Structures are given as C-alpha cells and as structure tokens.
Amino acid sequence: MARYDRAITVFSPDGHLFQVEYALEAVRKGNAAVGVRGTDTIVLGVEKKSTAKLQDSRSVRKIVNLDNHIALACAGLKADARVLINRARIECQSHRLTVEDPVTVEYITRYIAGLQQKYTQSGGVRPFGLSTLIVGFDPYTGIPSLYQTDPSGTFSAWKANATGRNSNSMREFLEKNYKETSGKETVKLAIRALLEVVESGGKNIEVAVMTKDHGLRQLDEAEIDAVVAEIEAEKAAAEAAKKGPPKET
Amino acid sequence: MKFDTSGLESHGQLVGASDGLFNGFPTAPSFEIPNTTDFDCFQKEAIQMVKPAKGTTTLAFIFKEGVMVAADSRASMGGYISSQSVKKIIEINPYMLGTMAGGAADCQFWHRNLGIKCRLHELANKRRISVTGASKLLANILYNYRGMGLSVGTMIAGWDETGPGLYYVDSEGGRLKGMRFSVGSGSPYAYGVLDNGYRYDMSVGEAAELARRSIYHATFRDGASGGVASVYYVGPDGWKKLSGDDVAELHYNYYPVQPSVVEQVMVET
C-alpha cells in the first residue's frame, strides 16, 4: 500500500488515490468550520484557536469575501487557502468582465472545485489540503446557497454543513436540530453547532453573517458573547423544565 | 535598426480560463511578423482590399414590443453582383440573431462559434446567456484577432431576462449598446428613413413596415445593396421571420406606375 501513496497520479489497486485521502486527513485536523443556510441569512462560523498575545488578530481573518455577495470559510492548510482564494477572487472579477454579470454561487464553487480537481490529476503537484464552505446569494434571483468543496474536487449544496475538526459531531447536531430559520435564529443555530465542539466564549469563535442587502458582516466579540449567553440561558431553562414538572407522578 | 515589437505583444484577455495549472491568463493568438520592406503600410493595403466588402445594408432597433432586425441580401465583388440571395441575418439560437456585414465567411463562422459558446454556457450554468454576455464574448474574440484582417460588422439582437437587447460589435473590437443601429454601405440611407419614422411605442406591424422601408430606400440608392429585404422580429418567445420581399417589387408597391400622357407621334401632313 505504501507504494501507491507517493505520487498523486497513481491509483491503488483498490481504487484509492491516497494523496487525496491524506489531504482529507489534513482537513480533519484543521479548525472546525460550520455553515448554516437560512431563508434570508447565511451564517459561517469558524473555530478560532487562541491567538498569541502579541499577534494582531485582525490579520488572521478566517472568513473571507470572494466578491460582494459571496463569502468563503475553510478548514485545512491555510497557505493553500490563500492561493485558492486569490484565484477565486480573480475569477469572480473576470466573470464580471466577460459577461457583465456577477457570478452565481454555483459557478464559483464549480470553479474552485475544478481547480482542486486539476491538482489531483497532474504530475509533480499535490492536492490542496482544504475543504471550503462557500456561501452567497445569487444575483437577480436572490436565492441563498451554501456549498462545500473538498480536496478531491467534488462539491455539493447543503442546507447546513460542517468541516474540519469534529465535523461529524457538528453535523450530527445539525441533522438533529436543523429547521428552516431566518435572521437571528440562523446565527443561533450556527453558534450552537460550533459550541458542541469548541470551548464556549466569544474569543474562541469567529462568526460572519451574510444577507442579501448588507453583504458579509463579521460579528464582533461582544455580539457573539451576547448570543452565546442567550444560548446558555435557553439551555439552562430547558434543563430546569426537564427537572421541574415530572414531580407530579 | 532593430524592430521595436513591444507594441505587438498582446496581453491576452482577462478571461480566467487557465490553460495550465500555473497560468491564469491565456495567451492571445499571434502570428509571425512578415518580412516586408514597408511594414507599416502593407497591412493597410490588405485591409483596403477587404473594406469594400461591407457592401450591404443591415439594421436593427429596439421598440416597445421587442427588437426588429432587417437586412438586404446582395453580395458584391466590386461592380459584380455575385449573389442576390445571401442570408445576412444569422440565427445564433432561437432567441438571438446576428446580422452580417463585412466578410461573409468571417461573420458566418464567428456567429456559429458564438452559438456554440452560448449553448455551452446554458449547459454549464443551467440558464440562458444574456445578450450582454453573448455580445461581450464575441467582442472579446474579435479583439484578440484585431489587426489580423477579420472584417465583421455585426449586430447581436436578442431577448433575455432583462428584456430586449441590442449590441453592435465589430472587428476592430468595438462594442456598443444602443436602441437603433444600421451597418453597411447603405446605412446612411437606411438611417435617414429609420430615424425619421422611429417611435418607441410602435406595434409589431408598424415597426416591420419601418424596417422594410428603410432597407428598400437603402437598396434604391446604394449599388452594393439589393436583392430581398428580410425582416425578423425578436420577442419574448424568440425570433420570428416576418417577411422577405424582393426590393424591386417593393419599389412598385411604394411608387406604383402612374399612367402618363402618351406622346403623340408627329404626323407629317
């Protein structure tokens, strides 16, 4: 088996591309990221490892804009992310130039996934070690979308998804608790999912909210703390309710 | 002294379709510089040879109900009329038309090519390409071949999500959005009639008649235009050919023969 994992362009006898699978491992070690699609809002949340005291936290933005109406969060190798994001940004502008229209979310996702796939079928290169969550509103129709791509170059649309560390637990939580939400409820759902696997607190998560009219807005620590407090209060109330009434048997 | 060829290097279009892993910008088509004594003027001669071939009249205008497109059907080579039945309105797809002026082969080929690109866009993006997008694709291609002797003066007319669209695209790489255009050697005559009779809120019938008359008048005065005046209408459901009348017959429709006084033969008495 070890013989089939040196080069990307070599299949193993049982049909695996080991380099791609190893890239997926790198993603699994990356920080947790979650995306939730609401009816009029889409929320991206990313785990923030504690920043060093001397580091300027503003330079480590993990949720970025690809265009006015499209945003991206990723899990995995951050350096690879930078390259992919730059190419995607150029493609967004190039599309505006050639057809005088902004990109649709599906178009740019297809482009990024295509790029990731190209690097799984060439000699002398390695795949990008990251999975991305791409969100945005389509121009003209205004329909919100959430897409995910991975190192193999596949992509699909989701109502809510998670990637990176402990993504399975987050996804399980989302599957159990997902319902159509809008506005603040969507933000709460995303943060609740993230809190399943991340230490509670505004300084450990980065959240950004995208709306059709205001584009991408990063929530600052105080706002996140406020929502977290709400969530904790709700949780406590639910616990109390569970323990309360059953006394009458 | 050595040629300074830095001006000839084109930077390619910012289309983003990479042709390799590391190259974001495709290289534009280019050709070797020919070995002549008079480089600056030899190209001019080649272009002059092709220029008269824009012997044609085509026009298109947007009005309340959609877009009206009309053209003549004569092809001429200098003073020789090579054909009276050339199709100068090219059907790119069921909701987009292109007009032909300039080199017939260039127009036909690049319109066909544009049709292919539009279809591919539809398949990839699950929605029709806009008239804006289609005209831009063509304009970018023609710009890449600028200076290489293509002769194309075309109008792209169509109906998309934003309503009726009309663009003028030529082989110099120019692209203009507008409400009324006429292209070809007969265009000054066509403009005269078209500009005079144009109103935004015409019915389909009135607009068709205006287009037909404009083409007729252009063919009347311009020797390089003639044959059949075809009129097409582009509406929300796509294009439809409305009429194709021989301009000689149109002449007698507009100016029927008046019975005139017969000259008496002088009789010698």
Side-chain angles (χ1 to χ4, degrees):
Chain A
M1 270 309 147
R3 283 200 300 275
Y4 303 103
D5 65 0
R6 281 304 108 169
I8 182 63
T9 49
V10 178
F11 269 114
S12 74
D14 56 348
H16 292 237
L17 280 171
F18 279 117
Q19 282 297 309
V20 175
E21 311 212 341
Y22 297 163
L24 281 157
E25 256 315 300
V27 170
R28 251 170 256 138
K29 298 225 166 22
N31 50 246
V34 70
V36 179
R37 182 187 84 191
T39 49
D40 61 352
T41 317
I42 330 176
V43 182
L44 282 173
V46 177
E47 168 193 7
K48 210 170 34 172
K49 305 248 183 56
S50 50
T51 46
K53 280 212 195 110
L54 294 173
Q55 192 179 53
D56 186 347
S57 56
R58 281 169 306 168
S59 68
V60 216
R61 282 265 160 265
K62 295 193 175 162
I63 304 175
V64 295
N65 256 329
L66 293 183
D67 201 344
N68 295 336
H69 60 302
I70 313 247
L72 175 147
C74 55
L77 269 47
K78 287 292 174 275
D80 287 1
R82 216 176 42 237
V83 171
L84 215 49
I85 289 168
N86 282 338
R87 298 281 282 275
R89 283 173 172 163
I90 292 176
E91 179 60 21
C92 285
Q93 296 312 308
S94 176
H95 186 273
R96 276 180 187 262
L97 249 190
T98 35
V99 291
E100 288 188 12
D101 251 345
V103 292
T104 56
V105 191
E106 203 248 342
Y107 178 92
I108 196 65
T109 307
R110 207 164 1 108
Y111 176 79
I112 292 176
L115 212 46
Q116 287 180 295
Q117 191 280 341
K118 229 186 271 203
Y119 282 73
T120 67
Q121 212 175 8
S122 290
V125 297
R126 63 162 177 80
F128 287 98
L130 69 148
S131 289
T132 67
L133 287 170
I134 301 166
V135 301
F137 289 87
D138 277 347
Y140 301 124
T141 56
I143 299 175
S145 318
L146 163 67
Y147 283 86
Q148 190 212 30
T149 72
D150 61 28
S152 62
T154 54
F155 70 94
S156 49
W158 294 76
K159 293 184 196 157
N161 200 1
T163 177
R165 253 172 7 108
N166 301 320
S167 56
N168 286 331
S169 354
M170 283 195 283
R171 211 172 298 122
E172 249 178 67
F173 174 84
L174 286 168
E175 276 174 21
K176 248 189 274 174
N177 295 287
Y178 178 82
K179 54 183 197 317
E180 284 281 320
T181 51
S182 68
K184 192 105 175 294
E185 286 305 308
T186 322
V187 182
K188 263 212 260 195
L189 183 55
I191 295 184
R192 275 168 66 202
L194 211 44
L195 288 178
E196 291 282 304
V197 303
V198 168
E199 254 178 66
S200 164
K203 31 188 211 355
N204 295 319
I205 46 182
E206 192 180 306
V207 180
V209 179
M210 169 156 275
T211 45
K212 189 145 56 105
D213 304 317
H214 302 288
L216 188 72
R217 194 174 67 90
Q218 308 268 7
L219 298 184
D220 54 26
E221 243 186 75
E223 284 181 272
I224 301 178
D225 279 333
V227 183
V228 169
E230 253 185 73
I231 294 173
E232 314 258 273
E234 277 172 17
K235 236 196 274 184
E239 291 287 324
K242 245 196 283 174
K243 285 196 202 125
K247 271 206 190 128
E248 302 129 30
T249 26
Chain B
M1 57 177 265
K2 191 121 195 339
F3 252 141
D4 171 28
T5 53
S6 57
L8 287 169
E9 269 127 36
S10 58
H11 301 283
Q13 57 197 60
L14 206 74
V15 176
S18 42
D19 54 11
L21 289 175
F22 311 107
N23 193 1
F25 306 104
T27 45
S30 60
F31 63 133
E32 272 178 35
I33 308 152
N35 213 353
T36 75
T37 41
D38 187 5
F39 182 75
D40 288 320
C41 292
F42 113 97
Q43 267 236 305
K44 237 184 268 179
E45 283 170 31
I47 292 174
Q48 290 302 344
M49 240 174 37
V50 189
K51 262 215 166 121
K54 282 206 188 141
T56 187
T57 311
T58 59
L59 60 86
F61 57 89
I62 293 180
F63 66 111
K64 185 181 57 159
E65 307 280 346
V67 198
M68 203 52 86
V69 185
D72 75 316
S73 69
R74 175 176 291 183
S76 47
M77 283 167 12
Y80 174 69
I81 297 175
S82 43
S83 169
Q84 289 273 66
S85 52
V86 177
K87 267 191 79 169
K88 294 193 189 177
I89 297 182
I90 299 159
E91 298 142 15
I92 298 171
N93 60 41
Y95 54 97
M96 226 185 282
L97 293 174
T99 58
M100 179 198 294
D106 289 339
C107 289
Q108 272 179 7
F109 178 85
W110 287 111
H111 279 125
R112 201 102 195 279
N113 186 281
L114 180 63
I116 293 172
K117 286 207 158 67
C118 291
R119 181 65 182 142
L120 287 174
H121 179 104
E122 242 179 80
L123 288 169
N125 295 291
K126 293 179 215 149
R127 50 197 286 249
R128 283 190 191 158
I129 192 170
S130 59
V131 183
T132 313
S135 60
K136 196 114 193 213
L137 284 179
L138 182 63
N140 284 339
I141 294 170
L142 294 178
Y143 181 79
N144 268 340
Y145 287 91
R146 196 176 132 89
M148 292 194 213
L150 283 186
S151 171
V152 171
T154 182
M155 295 177 284
I156 305 290
W159 188 290
D160 61 30
E161 280 174 352
T162 59
L166 178 61
Y167 286 83
Y168 165 74
V169 178
D170 69 20
S171 46
E172 308 298 299
R175 173 175 168 266
L176 297 171
K177 183 174 156 82
M179 296 287 274
R180 298 201 292 279
F181 286 113
S182 177
V183 181
S185 56
S187 62
Y189 310 109
Y191 267 131
V193 178
L194 178 59
D195 289 340
N196 186 42
Y198 176 83
R199 276 175 307 114
Y200 180 72
D201 44 1
M202 287 186 279
S203 67
V204 177
E206 289 174 321
E209 183 51 29
L210 178 62
R212 199 173 304 123
R213 248 181 348 110
S214 309
I215 295 287
Y216 156 73
H217 280 283
T219 60
F220 188 65
R221 287 293 176 181
D222 177 31
S225 304
V228 166
S230 318
V231 180
Y232 282 67
Y233 163 67
V234 189
D237 303 320
W239 59 258
K240 185 167 183 303
K241 179 162 183 180
L242 293 181
S243 66
D245 301 295
D246 189 311
V247 294
E249 279 164 33
L250 278 181
H251 171 82
Y252 291 107
N253 284 343
Y254 294 133
Y255 304 105
V257 179
Q258 305 288 355
S260 55
V261 178
V262 175
E263 286 165 11
Q264 302 285 7
V265 174
M266 280 218 320
V267 176
E268 268 197 16
T269 33

